């Protein structure tokens, strides 16, 4: 029987390459994994335990929260705030940064998370997920806002957990991208996809076409060329995919290539961009680049952006290298 490599074993073996590590990072990832196992169980139970539907409240972005948005946020906070590994947390669902209670020790990491990405899909039984990002911090302090406002290139780890037909964790610590599948029989994440790489070319795009009339000319041009198929300048037929769940879109791109776009649009001048830099764009950019892809706003590398707000929004274009670079080129021409 083939020896199965657990998430814990994989992280420990990676850390052995860097003598002097304390083991705190491994323990933190285990705590995140435990929280995501709990979320997986609740998502799987759904209406059987009455957790579907709207919570009749809004988050900081003015979006209507689902019951599971609140429940999963509480699971993440309660799994991490007591551990001694963190100096602070930030959640897409909470206005301000989350302080570690004064009676718990403070660690040397910060965690930012979207506890339930794609929650609009939950009531129709489509894939959702949890996204997380880890930053280093001065050990023992009570972190403030400025400690969080760091470029994505400073992340020490990023990952997401996809709650689909199987529960999977996709993870990078800056040494490639690996995926782990939750073995429900033993309650462990098992390494199933080692060193994932995104194909450089693709014939698949994911974008919300209902916003087409609000896009800027470079994106209009690229999608028009895709739709022309073999008769157009790109010389091939494209398929369109749109799940409205970033975790599902990125996992598909990691496994078979493609391009995902949520570009700038003029539909609502107060909110020209949709996705959050700290909770969605940065962690996904780290993963995508480590898998050989490209992640951009259309003009700037996502990981080079210096945040100015914990809930800052950015346009997001990511995926196979040749396709993203083509869209970026169209932006630069303009």
């Amino acid at each position: 029987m083939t020896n199965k490599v657990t998430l814990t074993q994989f992280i420990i073996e990676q850390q052995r390459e860097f003598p002097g590590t304390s083991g705190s990072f491994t323990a933190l990832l285990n705590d995140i994994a435990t929280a995501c196992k709990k979320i997986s169980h609740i998502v799987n139970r759904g209406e059987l335990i009455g957790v579907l539907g709207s919570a009749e409240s809004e988050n900081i972005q003015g979006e209507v929260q689902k019951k599971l948005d609140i429940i999963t946020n509480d699971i993440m906070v309660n799994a991490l705030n007591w551990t001694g590994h963190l100096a602070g947390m930030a959640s897409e669902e909470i206005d301000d940064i989350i302080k570690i209670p004064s009676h718990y020790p403070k660690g040397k990491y910060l965690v930012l998370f979207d506890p339930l990405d794609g929650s609009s899909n939950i009531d129709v039984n489509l894939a959702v997920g949890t996204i997380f990002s880890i930053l280093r911090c001065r050990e023992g302090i009570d972190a403030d806002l400025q400690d969080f406002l760091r470029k994505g290139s400073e992340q020490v780890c990023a990952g997401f957990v996809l709650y689909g037909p199987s529960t999977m964790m996709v993870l990078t610590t800056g040494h490639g991208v690996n995926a782990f599948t939750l073995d429900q029989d033993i309650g462990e994440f098992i390494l199933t996809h080692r060193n994932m790489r995104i194909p450089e070319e693709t014939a698949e795009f994911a974008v919300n076409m209902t916003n087409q009339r609000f896009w800027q000319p470079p994106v209009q041009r690229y999608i028009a060329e895709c739709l022309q198929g073999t008769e157009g300048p790109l010389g091939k037929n494209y398929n369109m995919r749109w799940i409205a769940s970033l975790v599902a879109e990125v996992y598909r791109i990691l496994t078979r290539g493609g391009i995902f776009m949520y570009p700038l649009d003029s539909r609502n001048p107060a909110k020209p961009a949709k996705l959050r830099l700290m909770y969605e764009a940065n962690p996904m950019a780290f993963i995508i680049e480590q898998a050989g892809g490209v992640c951009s706003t259309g003009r700037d590398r996502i990981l080079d952006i210096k945040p100015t707000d914990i809930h800052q929004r950015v346009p997001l274009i990511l995926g196979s290298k040749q396709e993203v670079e083509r869209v970026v080129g169209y932006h630069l021409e303009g």
Side-chain angles (χ1 to χ4, degrees):
M1 181 177 178
T2 303
N3 182 43
K4 294 182 177 180
V5 177
T6 66
L7 172 64
T8 302
Q9 179 183 347
F10 180 84
I11 296 300
I12 289 175
E13 289 180 349
Q14 273 201 338
Q15 284 205 311
R16 283 175 181 161
E17 299 177 15
F18 304 94
T21 54
S22 65
S24 177
F25 178 72
T26 301
L28 173 57
L29 274 180
N30 276 333
D31 294 333
I32 292 172
T34 297
C36 291
K37 291 173 192 176
K38 293 179 181 178
I39 294 172
S40 176
H41 177 71
I42 289 174
V43 168
N44 183 256
R45 298 280 287 167
E47 197 61 69
L48 294 174
I49 55 174
V51 296
L52 301 188
S54 172
E56 299 182 357
S57 60
E58 293 184 350
N59 63 16
I60 181 62
Q61 289 84 27
E63 299 164 336
V64 175
Q65 291 177 303
K66 299 291 187 179
K67 292 177 184 177
L68 272 174
D69 286 319
I70 298 170
I71 292 168
T72 55
N73 182 78
D74 290 346
I75 288 173
M76 291 293 288
V77 171
N78 293 334
L80 300 176
N81 66 1
W82 60 272
T83 62
H85 306 311
L86 297 179
M89 291 180 278
S91 168
E92 183 182 310
E93 300 299 328
I94 303 296
D95 296 13
D96 300 315
I97 62 173
I98 302 167
K99 299 285 189 178
I100 302 301
S102 58
H103 56 283
Y104 292 134
K106 310 300 188 295
K108 59 183 178 182
Y109 295 104
L110 304 171
V111 169
L112 304 94
F113 54 84
D114 179 353
L116 197 67
D117 175 75
S119 59
S120 61
N121 283 333
I122 195 70
D123 292 341
V124 291
N125 203 27
L126 294 178
V128 294
T130 298
I131 308 172
F132 60 91
S133 169
I134 301 175
L135 295 165
R136 284 194 183 89
C137 187
R138 293 165 289 155
E139 189 166 7
I141 71 162
D142 196 4
D144 61 24
L145 179 60
Q146 291 305 313
D147 292 303
F148 286 87
L149 298 180
R150 313 245 290 279
K151 293 181 180 180
S153 57
E154 296 184 49
Q155 294 172 104
V156 296
C157 177
F160 65 86
V161 177
L162 178 65
Y163 310 115
S166 59
T167 296
M168 299 190 70
M169 176 181 284
V170 176
L171 188 71
T172 184
T173 58
H175 305 281
V177 177
N178 298 278
F180 304 79
T181 302
L182 181 61
D183 186 334
Q184 302 283 359
D185 291 337
I186 62 174
E188 291 280 3
F189 280 103
I190 304 297
L191 178 62
T192 50
H193 299 67
R194 191 184 289 270
N195 194 28
M196 301 179 80
R197 301 295 295 175
I198 300 171
E200 288 195 6
E201 296 185 67
T202 183
E204 212 165 69
F205 67 89
V207 69
N208 185 347
M209 289 293 291
T210 62
N211 294 330
Q212 183 175 10
R213 64 192 184 280
F214 302 113
W215 295 336
Q216 293 184 330
V219 177
Q220 295 269 17
R221 173 185 172 185
Y222 175 73
I223 293 300
E225 291 177 350
C226 289
L227 296 178
Q228 291 174 49
T230 53
E231 292 79 24
L234 304 185
K236 55 185 173 181
N237 293 321
Y238 282 74
N239 289 321
M240 185 189 123
R241 299 287 183 266
W242 184 250
I243 307 174
S245 170
L246 183 60
V247 287
E249 305 281 8
V250 170
Y251 184 73
R252 186 187 63 248
I253 287 170
L254 286 168
T255 53
R256 69 187 195 196
I259 182 171
F260 168 90
M261 296 190 291
Y262 218 119
L264 278 177
D265 66 55
S266 59
R267 178 181 46 170
N268 181 354
K271 294 180 180 178
K274 169 72 173 176
L275 299 178
R276 267 64 63 169
L277 174 63
M278 307 294 287
Y279 312 106
E280 296 166 318
N282 271 344
M284 290 310 194
F286 194 16
I287 291 167
I288 288 292
E289 287 197 6
Q290 284 292 313
V294 176
C295 192
S296 173
T297 65
R299 298 182 183 277
D300 301 302
R301 179 183 180 230
I302 289 290
L303 294 181
D304 287 339
I305 298 172
K306 179 68 169 71
T308 57
D309 183 83
I310 197 72
H311 294 292
Q312 182 174 341
R313 296 171 184 261
V314 292
L316 185 61
I317 301 170
L318 61 79
S320 296
K321 185 174 186 290
Q322 289 188 10
E323 299 300 315
V324 177
E325 287 183 345
R326 187 189 308 276
V327 179
V328 170
Y330 291 172
H331 279 84
L332 297 180
E333 286 178 18

